[in-house]
Amino acid sequence: MTAKSTFMDEVREQPAVLRRLVDAYETGLAPRLQEAAELVRSNQILVVVGMGSSHFAGEILVQRLNQTQLKVINRDASELYHYQRGMLSDNMVMLAISQSGESAETCLAAEARPESMPLICITNDEQSRLAGMGDIVLPLLAGQEEGTSSKTFVATMALLHLLADAVLDESVFSAGSASNIADLLEELTETIAEEVDRLLPQFGDFHSAAFAGRGPGLVSALQGALITQEMTQMPAAALSAGQFRHGPIEAAGPHLLTIVFAPSGRTAHLLVKLARDSAAFGSPTWLVTDPSVQVPSMESLFVSQLPQVKEELSPLLSILVPELLGTGIAERKGLEPGRLQRISKVTRSE
């Protein structure tokens, strides 16, 4: 990998990053992971803070741990620091996520916690400002990343699943499932890139995008809208599919590309219904699902069937769709995919 790696180089590294991360936390980093899990179990509330991709990934812990007696709150670090610091108390543990370890708001939120409040840090840089504050530091091991977040986001999702498994004594993200997903990522990267090349001309003359999902699919939607805006300079929004019903669907039409993430699971039928309605209202609609979900054939509805994995793990595969869609749109606009034009990779000031 050269000093100036392209976005697609980093996307193709995602399977190797996944394998390296899981191997490390099964061996040398296993005691550190277990220590973090015990800290979460021994406190009444876990407060997760981050910005951008790191904030969105925190939804994984909300969805997995809040189905138990554990309580998880996922907060935008900036909002917590400026408006919500009063919620912090001694019976909580903070989990701060920053890929760089230098995000201004996340570091400020960590610094603002009570002295007796333990801090777990997830970062790609163990020498960073954030890591220096942590009682426990869990490294992402993703290597250098130059472009829009890709492999660091996949590593963050994977590490949060490993932490959830350790807290709950489960094996949702076992070594076997991690290896399988890494293999699938290798197979799907070029397949989805070819699908983007085929579908983009069929989507018509759209000039904005909406991403929708529920549960795990919402994680893909949130990250999808963020990186689409970064890569293409095109307006994009992400909403839970339920919220999309409450007004935003009025914006449907040929100008709005709608991407719906509908892995098999408890709300797949509702997501398919939303995709069908969006297409009926004239929006080119891309439904990302798997073979177990029944989908009607209709005009303006484009369907991709990814290999079926556990619903909780589906974003580890489906995130390829916005990564490669953003690449395709950027190239059509004459932009270098993943290369930020107006901001830096690391946001060090508010």
Side-chain angles (χ1 to χ4, degrees):
M1 180 171 137
T2 63
K4 290 293 184 181
S5 171
T6 66
F7 178 73
M8 280 305 301
D9 288 336
E10 291 168 352
V11 167
R12 292 187 182 99
E13 287 177 39
Q14 290 177 154
V17 167
L18 194 56
R19 294 187 182 102
R20 181 167 64 242
L21 180 86
V22 173
D23 180 67
Y25 280 94
E26 285 195 329
T27 53
L29 289 173
R32 209 183 296 189
L33 183 67
Q34 289 301 322
E35 184 183 1
E38 180 54 37
L39 193 55
V40 173
R41 280 194 296 264
S42 63
N43 286 267
Q44 294 180 15
I45 300 172
L46 174 65
V47 179
V48 184
V49 296
M51 296 297 294
S53 300
S54 297
H55 174 49
F56 302 151
E59 286 299 304
I60 287 170
L61 288 183
V62 172
Q63 293 165 14
R64 290 198 57 192
L65 300 188
N66 276 355
Q67 297 186 64
T68 72
Q69 292 183 340
L70 295 167
K71 298 294 182 288
V72 183
I73 303 169
N74 188 26
R75 285 289 186 266
D76 172 313
S78 178
E79 290 298 303
L80 184 142
Y81 177 73
H82 288 291
Y83 294 102
Q84 302 167 7
R85 271 185 279 176
M87 68 177 286
L88 301 178
S89 64
D90 294 339
N91 67 341
M92 299 177 174
V93 60
M94 179 179 285
L95 172 62
I97 308 173
S98 170
Q99 294 156 5
S100 67
E102 301 291 343
S103 296
E105 302 90 343
T106 305
C107 289
L108 288 170
E111 289 171 343
R113 78 192 193 283
E115 288 186 9
S116 58
M117 186 177 185
L119 176 64
I120 304 169
C121 298
I122 290 179
T123 179
N124 202 37
D125 184 355
E126 291 188 84
Q127 306 305 313
S128 63
R129 175 184 170 191
L130 182 65
M133 291 185 263
D135 297 294
I136 303 172
V137 179
L138 302 177
L140 291 170
L141 307 175
Q144 183 179 3
E145 184 177 70
E146 296 289 340
T148 292
S149 175
S150 57
K151 59 181 180 173
T152 53
F153 183 67
V154 165
T156 304
M157 290 193 291
L159 182 48
L160 291 175
H161 277 301
L162 290 173
L163 179 59
D165 277 353
V167 170
L168 300 172
D169 193 23
E170 294 180 349
S171 57
V172 169
F173 193 54
S174 64
S177 61
S179 177
N180 178 54
I181 287 174
D183 291 344
L184 291 172
L185 282 171
E186 286 180 335
E187 297 170 11
L188 287 172
T189 299
E190 299 308 322
T191 300
I192 296 177
E194 292 170 0
E195 193 161 25
V196 168
D197 288 341
R198 178 176 61 83
L199 291 179
L200 264 179
Q202 299 180 55
F203 288 157
D205 188 24
F206 65 91
H207 52 75
S208 57
F211 293 80
R214 293 174 184 258
L218 179 58
V219 177
S220 299
L222 291 166
Q223 176 70 353
L226 173 64
I227 64 175
T228 297
Q229 291 176 96
E230 287 184 350
M231 295 173 69
T232 70
Q233 301 176 1
M234 178 182 75
L239 288 168
S240 73
Q243 293 286 9
F244 196 77
R245 285 276 185 198
H246 286 253
I249 198 168
E250 277 293 321
H255 58 281
L256 179 67
L257 173 63
T258 303
I259 298 94
V260 179
F261 297 96
S264 58
R266 68 187 71 174
T267 59
H269 64 293
L270 296 173
L271 290 156
V272 171
K273 185 173 184 294
L274 176 67
R276 183 185 64 202
D277 291 348
S278 172
F281 291 142
S283 280
T285 303
W286 191 0
L287 178 65
V288 182
T289 184
D290 60 57
S292 70
V293 178
Q294 292 188 342
V295 180
S297 176
M298 59 185 299
E299 189 176 354
S300 294
L301 181 60
F302 307 90
V303 181
S304 291
Q305 293 182 325
L306 306 184
Q308 184 176 356
V309 296
K310 293 176 182 176
E311 183 183 13
E312 299 95 324
L313 304 180
S314 61
L316 288 164
L317 292 183
S318 62
I319 197 58
L320 280 171
V321 167
E323 287 175 345
L324 299 171
L325 174 64
T327 298
I329 296 172
E331 289 175 342
R332 283 176 170 245
K333 296 181 71 172
L335 300 171
E336 181 182 352
R339 187 67 58 199
L340 298 170
Q341 305 291 317
R342 297 180 171 87
I343 59 174
S344 64
K345 170 73 173 170
V346 180
T347 305
R348 298 177 186 271
S349 62
E350 293 192 90

